[in-house]
Amino acid sequence: MIDRVILNILKENGFDGYEALSIEYLKNVVFTYRKNDIRIEFFVVAAIDQKEFIAIDENKMFSDISKSLKNSSFYTAEVDKKTSLVLCVAKDNKLKSFEELEKKELQTEENPYFFKKYVLTYDEKVAQKVFGEILKTCNESSSLTKYIESIIINPERFRSYKINAENNEDYALLSKIVMKVPIMPVKIPGNQSIKPLANMIQDNIISENLQKAQNLVAFLSSEKNKETPDNYSVSQIIDYWMKEKL
């Protein structure tokens, strides 16, 4: 189902050219592009179940997709360098641990060969709950892109997700789609209740280092160190700082 959602999102964002590819062990493989795209950007969207995904040789899969692209009538030299693969992997809910799946996801995305890869793992039941009715009604005035953006940038939904991610599976899925489909035009509003990730990381680092600095000052100013402040070399102070022993 998610592969259909992704293709709809791509269509809403100008990817109006479609060609089906035939890869025996993958489902619904579609090559999509903007017919009049001066930036020349391409996507391959495909679906696969968790069991098959974990067992598959990813290099063979990439090679098979590449060969299928090269053998098609729409192939151009730009396809090799400008294509992104979005692989939609349906989780097997009978399994209690997804550690092997996460390892395979990372291994696939970090593979340096062929094209960019984005692995979107998802729960089919959650996907049906989130998109079941929307897919029937989405149109130019009520698109999937706008729907996803309205949820993602909602401050209350964001706070709720941070507090309890397990009870906000729909938000988790939509967030993952935004990350795995890099053309999603989701814009963070001026509302300061939601900060861009880079800003959040920077604020956390500043806050953490400020606390460590205050601890260092307290340590050097403590009663037991007042009489021999020179006993601590720069290297010792740095060692305390880096190991967070204060």
Side-chain angles (χ1 to χ4, degrees):
M1 174 189 212
I2 286 295
D3 53 315
R4 183 183 163 199
V5 171
I6 301 305
L7 287 171
N8 271 274
I9 291 171
L10 289 168
K11 183 178 180 180
E12 291 172 2
N13 288 279
F15 287 80
D16 49 359
Y18 297 89
E19 297 287 348
L21 302 180
S22 179
I23 311 291
E24 183 179 354
Y25 47 84
L26 295 177
K27 305 173 186 177
N28 308 322
V29 189
V30 176
F31 173 78
T32 181
Y33 53 94
R34 293 187 176 104
K35 292 179 180 177
N36 299 306
D37 187 6
I38 59 174
R39 291 176 296 177
I40 310 177
E41 193 174 11
F42 313 96
F43 279 90
V44 172
V45 181
I48 189 171
D49 292 330
Q50 177 176 333
K51 183 179 179 181
E52 287 75 15
F53 173 61
I54 291 175
I56 202 168
D57 179 341
E58 66 268 18
N59 283 316
K60 181 182 185 310
M61 175 175 62
F62 302 149
S63 178
D64 289 344
I65 293 173
S66 180
K67 288 177 182 177
S68 186
L69 287 170
K70 289 181 178 179
N71 291 331
S72 64
S73 59
F74 51 81
Y75 174 79
T76 62
E78 290 85 0
V79 170
D80 290 332
K81 298 179 181 179
K82 302 284 187 170
T83 297
S84 297
L85 168 67
V86 180
L87 190 62
C88 305
V89 183
K91 292 182 179 180
D92 184 349
N93 288 322
K94 296 178 183 178
L95 302 177
K96 295 181 179 180
S97 173
F98 293 107
E99 183 177 344
E100 191 175 6
L101 176 60
E102 292 172 353
K103 181 179 178 180
K104 184 73 171 185
E105 177 182 351
L106 184 63
Q107 178 180 319
T108 301
E109 291 191 333
E110 292 189 344
N111 187 296
Y113 302 106
F114 297 100
F115 25 68
K116 294 179 182 178
K117 303 100 178 163
Y118 300 93
V119 179
L120 201 168
T121 60
Y122 70 99
D123 184 312
E124 183 65 30
K125 290 183 178 179
V126 175
Q128 288 287 349
K129 180 180 178 181
V130 174
F131 294 110
E133 291 301 317
I134 298 173
L135 283 175
K136 299 176 184 178
T137 60
C138 64
N139 51 53
E140 291 184 2
S141 62
S142 178
S143 70
L144 281 167
T145 302
K146 291 178 181 178
Y147 167 73
I148 293 173
E149 183 175 30
S150 70
I151 301 296
I152 291 298
I153 68 175
N154 184 297
E156 292 301 322
R157 290 304 314 274
F158 179 69
R159 279 193 288 269
S160 179
Y161 173 70
K162 287 189 67 177
I163 293 170
N164 191 332
E166 290 185 2
N167 288 342
N168 289 273
E169 293 179 316
D170 59 335
Y171 193 94
L173 175 60
L174 297 180
S175 298
K176 188 176 289 188
I177 289 174
V178 171
M179 291 186 290
K180 302 293 184 176
V181 186
I183 53 87
M184 282 289 291
V186 174
K187 298 178 181 179
I188 300 298
N191 190 330
Q192 294 302 310
S193 59
I194 296 182
K195 294 182 178 180
L197 180 58
N199 290 1
M200 292 174 63
I201 293 173
Q202 184 179 26
D203 289 349
N204 286 338
I205 291 174
I206 291 173
S207 176
E208 177 186 346
N209 285 339
L210 177 60
Q211 183 60 54
K212 289 167 66 176
Q214 290 172 339
N215 289 343
L216 179 59
V217 172
F219 175 79
L220 296 175
S221 302
S222 63
E223 291 296 327
K224 65 179 181 179
N225 297 323
K226 280 183 178 180
E227 296 180 0
T228 57
D230 295 330
N231 288 347
Y232 289 88
S233 66
V234 172
S235 62
Q236 286 176 305
I237 294 173
I238 292 175
D239 186 57
Y240 274 115
W241 177 278
M242 296 301 295
K243 294 182 178 179
E244 299 182 7
K245 290 183 176 179
L246 302 181

